[in-house]
Amino acid sequence: MDQSDSVPMANYERNLGKRRRRSEGEYLGKNEGEKGVCNLVKFERNLGKRRRCCEGKNEGKKGVYNLLDRISAMPDEILVSILSLLPLKEATATSILSRRWQYVWMSTMVLNFDANFDVGSNICRFVALKRKLRDLESARYVNWVNRVVERHRGPNIEEFSVCFQLNDRFTSSIDKWVQFAIEKGVTTLVLKFFSQLDSASLNFYAFPHKLLGLEKKCLYSYIPSLHPCGYKVGFQSLKVLHFQWVDVTDEVLEYFLSNCAVLERVTVYGTKSLVNLRVVRPSAALKHLAIGACLGLQGIEICEANLVSFKYDGSVTNLLLTNVPLLVEVSISYISNPRAFIELFSSQLSCCLSQLEILMLTITRVDYNPKHVFPMLANLKHLELIVRADYRLALHHLTSFLKASPFLQRLVLKVYACTQ
């Protein structure tokens, strides 16, 4: 091929290359364009999803806000009822939610100042503290109760319960608490204190006579007063009364039993001024009575009462029950001699033995007498015996009970070790 033939061929190849590059460029451009369109569609699709997701979250937040707004819009009475179901500290914490909730807790109807002292380990840790630290903790507790009582705005309360190691050093504050409970028409009153275990003085808080309208006439005589020192008297709504390590006299306890028309349950544990307890024709509503660790108690008389259960924790001395037709549950502790054991069934409980359904006894050292005729317990269904581990005659008494209880359904035998 000569030089003249090579020139057209070069031109042809050059043009062919241009076309190829142009066509490839157009193709690539189309592909890039299609990719751009696809990416734009995907972006818009994802943007729509995100928008809908955000809208859903906003709707959820609005729903929560609307729910909160609906709760806050409820009447105070309903909000107070809700907060009354919470522990006092949690109810108080709701004051930080908003201005609407700032003062609602101050009308709560349940004032339970629980220090968890019912748990044995807590009281043991408290007692293990040094005296100054114990006094400081007690003072903090009293200040807490005082602040709540001073700020309370509600017209009524259902429960007022304090539980801590307090004694007569805090009489002034405790008197104010009781007066506050009276004025609020309290339904459940619990004063559960704990004695100074390292002190022999037993300086219990003494329940004041003046708050009940009982003015002292002479050393052992009290008369009702219609105008008791400006105090508002009366527990017309009181249903539950619980005193622990609170010093009460015969007159104070008889006042509660006879003058509180709807009083149903009374517990008195740990007192030194109760000498002779008379439960004679008490309020008809009284159903449950529990007495224990009363250091000076000499006798108990229960007559013409609608009691359903009676529990006594202490050495049995003079106990007399008559005309108690509804009594079906009896618990007696510390039966420590044969005479007390025989008298318990031959005279003290004789009027109600045939109707008893639940009987719980703690027997320490009572000699077994096979000649003793054990009374029939015709309706007894639940029997619980608590005996010492070194008491070898315990099972002999158990045999007597089983023979006298033909319809017994549940038997509980507890054995405790003597530490002395």
Side-chain angles (χ1 to χ4, degrees), residues 34-66:
E34 290 177 358
K35 290 181 180 179
V37 172
C38 292
N39 291 335
L40 179 61
V41 171
K42 290 181 180 179
F43 174 76
E44 291 179 348
R45 186 183 299 121
N46 292 334
L47 182 61
K49 288 182 179 180
R50 292 175 183 175
R51 185 183 295 111
R52 288 192 297 272
C53 182
C54 292
E55 290 175 353
K57 289 182 178 179
N58 290 335
E59 289 296 328
K61 291 181 179 179
K62 289 180 180 179
V64 173
Y65 294 148
N66 291 336

Short mmCIF file of all heavy atoms in Angstrom, two decimals, residues 34-66:
data_model
loop_
_atom_site.label_atom_id
_atom_site.label_comp_id
_atom_site.label_asym_id
_atom_site.label_seq_id
_atom_site.Cartn_x
_atom_site.Cartn_y
_atom_site.Cartn_z
N GLU A 34 -29.30 7.58 34.88
CA GLU A 34 -30.25 6.64 35.49
C GLU A 34 -29.90 6.39 36.95
O GLU A 34 -30.76 6.32 37.82
CB GLU A 34 -30.24 5.33 34.70
CG GLU A 34 -30.87 5.47 33.31
CD GLU A 34 -30.76 4.17 32.54
OE1 GLU A 34 -30.16 3.22 33.09
OE2 GLU A 34 -31.25 4.12 31.42
N LYS A 35 -28.57 6.25 37.21
CA LYS A 35 -28.16 6.06 38.61
C LYS A 35 -28.54 7.26 39.46
O LYS A 35 -28.98 7.14 40.60
CB LYS A 35 -26.66 5.85 38.68
CG LYS A 35 -26.21 4.51 38.12
CD LYS A 35 -24.71 4.35 38.24
CE LYS A 35 -24.25 3.01 37.69
NZ LYS A 35 -22.78 2.85 37.79
N GLY A 36 -28.38 8.45 38.89
CA GLY A 36 -28.75 9.65 39.64
C GLY A 36 -30.23 9.68 39.94
O GLY A 36 -30.66 10.04 41.05
N VAL A 37 -31.05 9.28 38.92
CA VAL A 37 -32.49 9.23 39.15
C VAL A 37 -32.83 8.22 40.22
O VAL A 37 -33.65 8.46 41.11
CB VAL A 37 -33.22 8.92 37.83
CG1 VAL A 37 -34.70 8.67 38.10
CG2 VAL A 37 -33.04 10.05 36.83
N CYS A 38 -32.20 7.03 40.15
CA CYS A 38 -32.48 5.99 41.16
C CYS A 38 -32.10 6.47 42.55
O CYS A 38 -32.84 6.25 43.51
CB CYS A 38 -31.69 4.72 40.81
SG CYS A 38 -32.28 3.91 39.32
N ASN A 39 -30.93 7.11 42.65
CA ASN A 39 -30.50 7.62 43.96
C ASN A 39 -31.46 8.68 44.49
O ASN A 39 -31.75 8.75 45.68
CB ASN A 39 -29.10 8.21 43.86
CG ASN A 39 -28.05 7.13 43.63
OD1 ASN A 39 -28.28 5.97 43.98
ND2 ASN A 39 -26.92 7.51 43.04
N LEU A 40 -31.96 9.53 43.57
CA LEU A 40 -32.91 10.55 43.99
C LEU A 40 -34.21 9.92 44.48
O LEU A 40 -34.77 10.34 45.50
CB LEU A 40 -33.19 11.51 42.82
CG LEU A 40 -34.20 12.63 43.10
CD1 LEU A 40 -33.68 13.51 44.25
CD2 LEU A 40 -34.44 13.47 41.85
N VAL A 41 -34.67 8.88 43.77
CA VAL A 41 -35.90 8.19 44.21
C VAL A 41 -35.70 7.55 45.58
O VAL A 41 -36.56 7.64 46.47
CB VAL A 41 -36.31 7.13 43.17
CG1 VAL A 41 -37.44 6.27 43.71
CG2 VAL A 41 -36.71 7.79 41.87
N LYS A 42 -34.54 6.87 45.73
CA LYS A 42 -34.26 6.25 47.03
C LYS A 42 -34.18 7.30 48.13
O LYS A 42 -34.68 7.11 49.24
CB LYS A 42 -32.95 5.48 46.96
CG LYS A 42 -33.02 4.22 46.10
CD LYS A 42 -31.68 3.50 46.10
CE LYS A 42 -31.74 2.24 45.25
NZ LYS A 42 -30.43 1.54 45.22
N PHE A 43 -33.53 8.41 47.85
CA PHE A 43 -33.41 9.47 48.85
C PHE A 43 -34.78 9.99 49.28
O PHE A 43 -35.06 10.18 50.46
CB PHE A 43 -32.56 10.60 48.28
CG PHE A 43 -32.49 11.81 49.18
CD1 PHE A 43 -31.70 11.81 50.32
CD2 PHE A 43 -33.23 12.94 48.89
CE1 PHE A 43 -31.64 12.92 51.14
CE2 PHE A 43 -33.19 14.04 49.71
CZ PHE A 43 -32.38 14.03 50.83
N GLU A 44 -35.64 10.24 48.24
CA GLU A 44 -36.99 10.74 48.56
C GLU A 44 -37.78 9.70 49.35
O GLU A 44 -38.54 10.03 50.27
CB GLU A 44 -37.71 11.12 47.28
CG GLU A 44 -37.13 12.35 46.59
CD GLU A 44 -37.86 12.68 45.31
OE1 GLU A 44 -38.64 11.82 44.86
OE2 GLU A 44 -37.66 13.79 44.79
N ARG A 45 -37.60 8.43 48.96
CA ARG A 45 -38.31 7.37 49.68
C ARG A 45 -37.86 7.31 51.14
O ARG A 45 -38.66 7.23 52.06
CB ARG A 45 -38.07 6.03 48.99
CG ARG A 45 -38.91 4.89 49.60
CD ARG A 45 -38.59 3.56 48.95
NE ARG A 45 -38.88 3.60 47.51
CZ ARG A 45 -37.97 3.38 46.58
NH1 ARG A 45 -36.72 3.13 46.91
NH2 ARG A 45 -38.31 3.43 45.30
N ASN A 46 -36.53 7.34 51.35
CA ASN A 46 -35.99 7.32 52.72
C ASN A 46 -36.40 8.57 53.49
O ASN A 46 -36.70 8.52 54.69
CB ASN A 46 -34.47 7.22 52.69
CG ASN A 46 -34.00 5.88 52.16
OD1 ASN A 46 -34.72 4.89 52.27
ND2 ASN A 46 -32.79 5.85 51.59
N LEU A 47 -36.42 9.69 52.80
CA LEU A 47 -36.85 10.92 53.46
C LEU A 47 -38.29 10.83 53.91
O LEU A 47 -38.65 11.27 55.01
CB LEU A 47 -36.67 12.10 52.51
CG LEU A 47 -37.03 13.49 53.07
CD1 LEU A 47 -36.14 13.81 54.27
CD2 LEU A 47 -36.89 14.57 52.00
N GLY A 48 -39.12 10.21 53.06
CA GLY A 48 -40.53 10.02 53.43
C GLY A 48 -40.67 9.13 54.65
O GLY A 48 -41.47 9.38 55.56
N LYS A 49 -39.85 8.05 54.66
CA LYS A 49 -39.89 7.16 55.81
C LYS A 49 -39.49 7.89 57.08
O LYS A 49 -40.10 7.75 58.13
CB LYS A 49 -38.97 5.97 55.57
CG LYS A 49 -39.47 4.99 54.53
CD LYS A 49 -38.50 3.83 54.40
CE LYS A 49 -39.00 2.80 53.38
NZ LYS A 49 -38.07 1.67 53.23
N ARG A 50 -38.40 8.66 56.98
CA ARG A 50 -37.94 9.39 58.15
C ARG A 50 -38.98 10.41 58.62
O ARG A 50 -39.20 10.58 59.81
CB ARG A 50 -36.63 10.12 57.83
CG ARG A 50 -35.46 9.17 57.61
CD ARG A 50 -34.22 9.92 57.20
NE ARG A 50 -33.12 9.00 56.91
CZ ARG A 50 -31.94 9.39 56.44
NH1 ARG A 50 -31.72 10.68 56.21
NH2 ARG A 50 -31.00 8.50 56.21
N ARG A 51 -39.61 11.06 57.63
CA ARG A 51 -40.63 12.04 57.99
C ARG A 51 -41.79 11.38 58.72
O ARG A 51 -42.27 11.86 59.74
CB ARG A 51 -41.11 12.77 56.74
CG ARG A 51 -42.10 13.90 57.06
CD ARG A 51 -42.61 14.56 55.77
NE ARG A 51 -41.52 15.25 55.07
CZ ARG A 51 -41.02 14.84 53.90
NH1 ARG A 51 -41.50 13.75 53.32
NH2 ARG A 51 -40.05 15.50 53.32
N ARG A 52 -42.21 10.22 58.14
CA ARG A 52 -43.33 9.51 58.79
C ARG A 52 -42.93 8.99 60.16
O ARG A 52 -43.72 8.99 61.10
CB ARG A 52 -43.79 8.36 57.89
CG ARG A 52 -44.53 8.81 56.63
CD ARG A 52 -45.20 7.63 55.93
NE ARG A 52 -44.22 6.66 55.45
CZ ARG A 52 -43.63 6.72 54.25
NH1 ARG A 52 -43.88 7.76 53.44
NH2 ARG A 52 -42.79 5.79 53.87
N CYS A 53 -41.68 8.51 60.28
CA CYS A 53 -41.20 8.02 61.59
C CYS A 53 -41.19 9.15 62.61
O CYS A 53 -41.64 8.99 63.74
CB CYS A 53 -39.80 7.43 61.43
SG CYS A 53 -39.12 6.75 62.97
N CYS A 54 -40.66 10.31 62.17
CA CYS A 54 -40.63 11.46 63.08
C CYS A 54 -42.03 11.91 63.46
O CYS A 54 -42.31 12.25 64.61
CB CYS A 54 -39.87 12.61 62.44
SG CYS A 54 -38.09 12.29 62.24
N GLU A 55 -42.90 11.88 62.45
CA GLU A 55 -44.29 12.25 62.74
C GLU A 55 -44.90 11.28 63.74
O GLU A 55 -45.64 11.66 64.65
CB GLU A 55 -45.10 12.30 61.45
CG GLU A 55 -44.72 13.47 60.53
CD GLU A 55 -45.47 13.40 59.21
OE1 GLU A 55 -46.16 12.38 58.99
OE2 GLU A 55 -45.37 14.36 58.42
N GLY A 56 -44.56 9.96 63.59
CA GLY A 56 -45.09 8.97 64.53
C GLY A 56 -44.58 9.19 65.93
O GLY A 56 -45.31 9.10 66.91
N LYS A 57 -43.25 9.53 65.99
CA LYS A 57 -42.69 9.80 67.32
C LYS A 57 -43.33 11.02 67.95
O LYS A 57 -43.63 11.05 69.13
CB LYS A 57 -41.18 9.99 67.21
CG LYS A 57 -40.43 8.71 66.90
CD LYS A 57 -38.94 8.96 66.86
CE LYS A 57 -38.17 7.68 66.60
NZ LYS A 57 -36.70 7.90 66.54
N ASN A 58 -43.51 12.03 67.13
CA ASN A 58 -44.15 13.25 67.65
C ASN A 58 -45.57 12.97 68.11
O ASN A 58 -46.01 13.49 69.14
CB ASN A 58 -44.15 14.34 66.58
CG ASN A 58 -42.75 14.88 66.31
OD1 ASN A 58 -41.89 14.81 67.19
ND2 ASN A 58 -42.53 15.39 65.10
N GLU A 59 -46.26 12.11 67.34
CA GLU A 59 -47.62 11.76 67.76
C GLU A 59 -47.58 11.00 69.08
O GLU A 59 -48.42 11.18 69.95
CB GLU A 59 -48.29 10.90 66.67
CG GLU A 59 -48.64 11.67 65.41
CD GLU A 59 -49.67 12.75 65.68
OE1 GLU A 59 -50.52 12.55 66.57
OE2 GLU A 59 -49.63 13.80 65.02
N GLY A 60 -46.54 10.10 69.21
CA GLY A 60 -46.42 9.38 70.47
C GLY A 60 -46.16 10.30 71.64
O GLY A 60 -46.76 10.18 72.71
N LYS A 61 -45.26 11.29 71.39
CA LYS A 61 -44.98 12.26 72.45
C LYS A 61 -46.20 13.08 72.77
O LYS A 61 -46.52 13.34 73.93
CB LYS A 61 -43.83 13.17 72.02
CG LYS A 61 -42.49 12.47 71.95
CD LYS A 61 -41.39 13.44 71.55
CE LYS A 61 -40.04 12.74 71.50
NZ LYS A 61 -38.97 13.67 71.09
N LYS A 62 -46.91 13.47 71.72
CA LYS A 62 -48.13 14.23 71.97
C LYS A 62 -49.12 13.40 72.77
O LYS A 62 -49.81 13.91 73.65
CB LYS A 62 -48.75 14.66 70.64
CG LYS A 62 -47.97 15.74 69.91
CD LYS A 62 -48.64 16.11 68.60
CE LYS A 62 -47.86 17.20 67.86
NZ LYS A 62 -48.50 17.54 66.58
N GLY A 63 -49.15 12.06 72.45
CA GLY A 63 -50.07 11.20 73.19
C GLY A 63 -49.71 11.13 74.66
O GLY A 63 -50.58 11.19 75.53
N VAL A 64 -48.39 11.03 74.93
CA VAL A 64 -47.94 11.02 76.33
C VAL A 64 -48.28 12.33 77.00
O VAL A 64 -48.78 12.38 78.12
CB VAL A 64 -46.43 10.74 76.40
CG1 VAL A 64 -45.93 10.90 77.84
CG2 VAL A 64 -46.12 9.35 75.88
N TYR A 65 -47.97 13.43 76.29
CA TYR A 65 -48.28 14.74 76.87
C TYR A 65 -49.78 14.90 77.11
O TYR A 65 -50.21 15.42 78.14
CB TYR A 65 -47.78 15.84 75.95
CG TYR A 65 -46.27 15.89 75.82
CD1 TYR A 65 -45.67 16.29 74.63
CD2 TYR A 65 -45.46 15.54 76.90
CE1 TYR A 65 -44.28 16.33 74.52
CE2 TYR A 65 -44.08 15.58 76.79
CZ TYR A 65 -43.49 15.97 75.60
OH TYR A 65 -42.14 16.01 75.49
N ASN A 66 -50.56 14.43 76.13
CA ASN A 66 -52.01 14.53 76.29
C ASN A 66 -52.48 13.70 77.47
O ASN A 66 -53.37 14.09 78.20
CB ASN A 66 -52.72 14.09 75.01
CG ASN A 66 -52.51 15.07 73.87
OD1 ASN A 66 -52.24 16.25 74.11
ND2 ASN A 66 -52.62 14.59 72.64
#
